[in-house]
Amino acid sequence: MRTEKLARGALTLAVITISFMLFRGSTSLLNSIIVPLALYIILYDFTPGEFLTTFIAGLFLVALFFGTQIFFMMIYGLLAFLLLVLAQKGIFLRMGLLSSGVMISFIIAIHLTDLILGTAIQQALTSLAGGSQAGFYLLVSGEGILAGVVLAFTSSRLEDRLAEIYSPD
């Protein structure tokens, strides 16, 4: 890696770490916006190997310091990749696909975290949503839609800026 990319990768890891430190519990929804966007910014001009190296380093950091968030970190990496795939698509298509992706991935991450790590995230969210399973899915759907819409709009604005920065002019 060139020095500039190495420094940007380290800054991305710092942003991820700070985000996980600051946003816990009910504010962890902000991680689903900040972390994928941080990964998306470096994904813009990193080679797949460089991105994978940075992402794996991020996974190690999260596993060491925020163990219960490991499945969510994997999901955030997939969301960053989804942002790249949807880069030149229309805003409504992007919002729909990102919202769906976030909803499904949140449900998968919650179930995996509860199953493998023995947490009770789904139980806590179900009781927060009035004790019903439908309330749990409605709550997760709302979070997914909110995160998907914010990611769609923010990434479209970032694309314009990143294109200016990395254009070969």
Side-chain angles (χ1 to χ4, degrees):
M1 270 192 202
R2 290 190 345 238
T3 306
E4 175 206 344
K5 286 187 176 182
L6 189 61
R8 285 183 31 227
L11 285 172
T12 300
L13 293 176
V15 167
I16 290 169
T17 303
I18 291 169
S19 180
F20 277 107
M21 286 172 57
L22 292 177
F23 306 118
R24 296 174 163 233
S26 60
T27 61
S28 66
L29 175 64
L30 294 174
N31 286 333
S32 65
I33 297 167
I34 294 169
V35 175
L37 286 174
L39 291 170
Y40 171 69
I41 289 170
I42 67 160
L43 187 60
Y44 194 81
D45 77 323
F46 273 38
T47 66
E50 292 167 340
F51 173 75
L52 195 58
T53 301
T54 306
F55 179 69
I56 289 173
L59 275 176
F60 278 125
L61 276 172
V62 170
L64 281 172
F65 299 111
F66 315 100
T68 58
Q69 297 291 317
I70 191 73
F71 295 111
F72 289 96
M73 181 61 189
M74 289 180 200
I75 296 299
Y76 300 154
L78 292 173
L79 288 174
F81 182 73
L82 188 59
L83 285 171
L84 182 70
V85 170
L86 298 174
Q88 300 303 319
K89 305 294 185 224
I91 192 70
F92 292 111
L93 177 64
R94 187 185 300 196
M95 283 189 313
L97 292 174
L98 283 169
S99 295
S100 300
V102 173
M103 282 187 278
I104 292 167
S105 63
F106 275 5
I107 291 170
I108 291 170
I110 289 168
H111 286 298
L112 285 175
T113 302
D114 284 352
L115 179 68
I116 295 173
L117 300 177
T119 61
I121 298 171
Q122 183 178 357
Q123 182 182 359
L125 290 176
T126 300
S127 52
L128 182 68
S132 73
Q133 202 66 356
F136 164 74
Y137 289 111
L138 187 62
L139 178 68
V140 173
S141 297
E143 289 178 349
I145 291 169
L146 176 66
V149 168
V150 170
L151 284 172
F153 279 110
T154 307
S155 65
S156 67
R157 298 298 298 162
L158 279 174
E159 285 167 20
D160 298 338
R161 184 69 180 125
L162 291 170
E164 288 175 21
I165 293 171
Y166 296 109
S167 67
D169 292 343

